[in-house]
Amino acid sequence: MATHGTRGRSGGRPTLEEVAARAGVGRGTVSRVINGSPRVSDATRAAVEAAVAELGYVPNTAARALAANRTDAIALVVPEPETRFFAEPYFSDILKGVGAELADTEMQLLLIFAGSDKERRRLAQYLAAHRVDGVLLVSVHADDPLPDLLSQLEIPAVISGPRSAAETLTSVDSDNYGGARSAVEHLMSRGRTRIAHITGRLDVYGAQRRVDGYRDALRDAGHAVDELLIEPGDFTEEGGRRATQSLLARRPDLDAVFAASDVTAAGARHALREAGRRIPDDVALVGYDDSAIARHMDPPLTSVRQPIEEMGRRMIDLLLTEIADRRPAMSRGLERARMVLATELVTRASS
């Protein structure tokens, strides 16, 4: 039996073909295992890894990348200012899931902010030079030109939440509509009848779907939708504070607030307390994300949990599949992949 460090038949370094022969698979399968593709069964992966260990095969990363026109790098692009990235747990949880899924591959992850016009122009030049094998897009707004640029450049890409119902890129999202419905239904079950909603940025499709879920939950329960109880927000704490002040000014009788994020709910809490409203006695409060903010708030915040880390993992799975095929999904003429993960309402003392 060959041992680690065994020479190949030629007396030199073991080759990819020799690994394939030892594992009883094709050369392409060995390449997919080495490149971290998810499109390999566990049994096949184990056989290839055993052959690699027995022969002492060491991949020539630079030569492989050059021959395959590969860079072995993935960009996580965030079209937001850095301040928002570090202020909101959503982004760090996505990054955690992405990093965990990439840990066993040879891919490098580049974190790129594109919150300003200058940063976007620089990014466009960088992507046009094909310096990455694929792109993950997080927090994309409806009018963002980056997804269309990626399609034009035929760079494999996966987006966190579609821009609209007609999204052309592969996407991974949580059930924003169902999550919002569960929040409002919970508040109604607690006897709340004047339920306000602080939205997220309405150029984000996920925020639009949360508004849809809010409206439909009220209508299906036989309640009219009061437009005075809906206030635009922007997912930030300060936005939540301002929105709550506006809501209280025109509907001081509101008895519940459903906020589009936990960060927004934190701002709402400040405004409610400044106005002398007790939570949940006078006004019940529900957030969205079930982040650490929700658990540490006083009182602890009822929140809709979305599997953010899992979303990051699934995004990488889909992107690695497209990279392994070396063609983005749209170029292959396939129907776009749209993955929607379930949400869960976590009840705490705020409601």
Side-chain angles (χ1 to χ4, degrees):
M1 182 175 182
T3 59
H4 185 78
T6 299
R7 294 291 211 193
R9 294 194 192 98
S10 61
R13 290 174 48 167
T15 66
L16 197 69
E17 288 77 9
E18 288 168 341
V19 173
R22 176 63 62 93
V25 299
R27 185 181 187 279
T29 300
V30 174
S31 179
R32 281 193 290 276
V33 171
I34 292 172
N35 287 321
S37 169
R39 299 182 55 157
V40 180
S41 70
D42 291 341
T44 298
R45 188 182 304 279
V48 171
E49 290 173 348
V52 167
E54 290 170 8
L55 292 174
Y57 175 73
V58 179
N60 186 335
T61 304
R64 185 177 75 247
L66 182 63
N69 192 26
R70 291 270 301 274
T71 65
D72 284 337
I74 289 173
L76 175 61
V77 177
V78 184
E80 299 283 358
E82 292 182 42
T83 51
R84 186 180 170 203
F85 179 89
F86 292 108
E88 296 186 26
Y90 174 86
F91 295 108
S92 60
D93 287 345
I94 283 280
L95 185 58
K96 191 182 301 181
V98 168
E101 199 67 10
L102 279 180
D104 294 330
T105 75
E106 294 182 4
M107 288 286 189
Q108 298 296 314
L109 182 65
L110 308 177
L111 178 58
I112 300 176
F113 297 102
S116 68
D117 290 340
K118 181 179 179 180
E119 289 172 333
R120 287 167 188 266
R121 288 193 297 270
R122 187 187 307 134
L123 175 61
Q125 294 172 351
Y126 186 82
L127 294 175
H130 289 271
R131 293 180 179 176
V132 294
D133 295 325
V135 172
L136 301 172
L137 273 174
V138 180
S139 186
V140 179
H141 305 288
D143 59 352
D144 197 314
L146 286 175
D148 293 333
L149 173 64
L150 292 168
S151 295
Q152 292 167 11
L153 295 173
E154 294 198 336
I155 296 176
V158 177
I159 192 169
S160 171
R163 290 168 291 171
S164 71
E167 180 58 67
T168 56
L169 290 181
T170 297
S171 66
V172 177
D173 203 2
S174 67
D175 183 6
N176 292 288
Y177 176 85
R181 281 196 66 115
S182 67
V184 177
E185 288 167 354
H186 164 72
L187 288 167
M188 289 188 294
S189 74
R190 297 295 173 93
R192 308 293 169 151
T193 59
R194 298 175 297 280
I195 302 169
H197 178 40
I198 303 173
T199 77
R201 287 189 55 166
L202 292 177
D203 58 349
V204 174
Y205 185 61
Q208 297 170 22
R209 294 298 289 153
R210 291 175 197 178
V211 176
D212 292 341
Y214 163 84
R215 291 176 181 275
D216 287 352
L218 290 172
R219 290 189 184 112
D220 290 349
H223 298 294
V225 177
D226 184 349
E227 298 298 329
L228 295 179
L229 286 171
I230 301 175
E231 180 68 18
D234 58 4
F235 292 117
T236 68
E237 182 173 358
E238 179 57 23
R241 188 185 67 82
R242 289 196 306 266
T244 304
Q245 290 173 337
S246 296
L247 286 165
L248 288 172
R250 63 176 182 258
R251 285 302 305 267
D253 60 339
L254 64 83
D255 60 9
V257 174
F258 165 45
S261 74
D262 292 345
V263 176
T264 296
R269 169 184 168 275
H270 287 306
L272 288 168
R273 287 198 164 177
E274 287 172 355
R277 307 301 173 90
R278 297 169 299 165
I279 301 171
D281 304 70
D282 301 322
V283 180
L285 182 62
V286 175
Y288 205 104
D289 289 334
D290 190 38
S291 63
I293 292 172
R295 297 188 292 276
H296 297 146
M297 197 178 291
D298 179 24
L301 180 67
T302 295
S303 184
V304 178
R305 176 182 295 163
Q306 54 177 339
I308 303 173
E309 282 190 44
E310 181 64 16
M311 287 167 63
R313 290 178 176 272
R314 298 294 183 91
M315 288 175 72
I316 281 293
D317 285 345
L318 291 169
L319 186 62
L320 289 179
T321 297
E322 292 195 5
I323 291 171
D325 287 343
R326 299 189 63 186
R327 291 169 296 166
M330 295 304 293
S331 295
R332 297 197 304 271
L334 299 178
E335 182 179 354
R336 64 184 179 274
R338 177 172 294 181
M339 186 176 292
V340 179
L341 305 181
T343 57
E344 175 190 0
L345 183 72
V346 180
T347 57
R348 297 189 179 94
S350 70
S351 61

